[in-house]
C-alpha cells in the first residue's frame, strides 16, 4: 500500500494500492495519525507534501508547534522502522493533482485535507506513469 499525506494540525491521509486505486482516505489529528500508522503494517511507500516555512508566514507561525514538521518526522521514523520508502513532493502537487482528478477541495478548509492528500496521490501516480489523469480519461 502507498500512504499519501497532507501534513498539518489536521493531517489528510489517502491510502492507495500499488496500482493507484484509492482504498481509503480521512483526516486525523496527531494522535489519531500515530494510531493509524501503528496498525497499518503493509505500507511500502509514504508520500508527503513537502513543508517549508515560506517568506511572509513567519508572523503567522509565531508560537506554532510546527505540527506539519512533527508529522513528517513521525512518518520518516515509521519508514525507517518498517523499511518503507519515504518521499517528499512539491506543494504544487495538490493543485496539479486536483486538475488531474477533477476533484477540487471543499471551500471549508477544515474539510479539505483528505481531498488534498488524495490529489497529491493522483499527481504522484500520474507523474510516475502508473495511471492516466482520471479527469482526462473521457476526452
Amino acid at each position: 500500500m502507498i500512504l499519501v499525506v497532507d501534513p498539518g494540525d489536521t493531517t489528510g491521509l489517502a491510502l492507495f494500492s500499488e496500482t493507484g486505486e484509492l482504498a481509503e482516505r480521512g483526516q486525523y489529528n496527531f494522535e489519531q495519525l500515530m494510531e493509524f500508522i501503528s496498525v497499518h503494517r503493509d505500507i511500502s511507500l509514504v508520500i508527503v507534501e513537502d513543508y517549508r516555512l515560506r517568506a511572509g508566514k513567519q508572523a503567522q507561525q509565531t508560537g506554532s508547534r510546527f505540527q506539519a514538521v512533527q508529522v513528517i518526522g513521525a512518518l520518516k521514523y515509521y519508514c525507517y522502522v518498517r523499511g518503507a520508502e519515504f518521499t517528499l513532493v512539491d506543494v504544487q502537487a495538490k493543485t496539479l493533482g486536483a486538475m488531474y482528478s477533477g476533484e477540487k477541495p471543499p471551500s471549508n478548509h477544515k474539510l479539505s485535507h483528505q481531498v488534498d492528500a488524495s490529489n497529491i496521490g493522483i499527481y504522484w501516480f500520474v507523474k510516475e506513469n502508473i495511471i492516466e489523469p482520471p479527469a482526462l480519461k473521457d476526452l
Side-chain angles (χ1 to χ4, degrees):
M1 299 298 288
I2 296 174
L3 179 64
V4 183
V5 182
D6 176 31
D9 291 332
T10 301
T11 294
L13 299 181
L15 194 60
F16 288 88
S17 72
E18 306 286 333
T19 59
E21 293 180 46
L22 181 64
E24 68 178 277
R25 69 181 184 183
Q27 298 188 157
Y28 303 90
N29 65 30
F30 189 78
E31 291 75 25
Q32 293 166 328
L33 170 66
M34 295 299 98
E35 177 64 26
F36 181 92
I37 63 174
S38 73
V39 299
H40 284 83
R41 301 179 187 278
D42 58 348
I43 296 169
S44 60
L45 171 63
V46 176
I47 300 166
V48 182
E49 178 191 39
D50 197 2
Y51 174 84
R52 295 175 189 257
L53 183 58
R54 308 246 182 256
K57 287 225 169 198
Q58 288 89 348
Q60 288 177 288
Q61 296 292 339
T62 301
S64 171
R65 297 196 186 279
F66 291 99
Q67 196 71 38
V69 175
Q70 292 182 46
V71 167
I72 292 169
L75 292 167
K76 281 185 173 183
Y77 181 72
Y78 170 88
C79 289
Y80 176 80
V81 169
R82 297 270 179 233
E85 187 180 344
F86 180 90
T87 190
L88 294 170
V89 295
D90 192 86
V91 295
Q92 294 176 2
K94 271 192 248 195
T95 304
L96 293 171
M99 290 176 10
Y100 293 159
S101 73
E103 182 180 17
K104 292 186 169 124
S107 57
N108 182 344
H109 182 70
K110 290 182 180 183
L111 304 175
S112 68
H113 306 290
Q114 64 184 340
V115 175
D116 286 340
S118 60
N119 282 334
I120 292 167
I122 296 293
Y123 162 82
W124 186 86
F125 283 105
V126 169
K127 181 178 81 68
E128 295 296 314
N129 294 312
I130 296 170
I131 65 169
E132 293 294 319
L136 303 179
K137 278 185 179 178
D138 296 328
L139 295 179

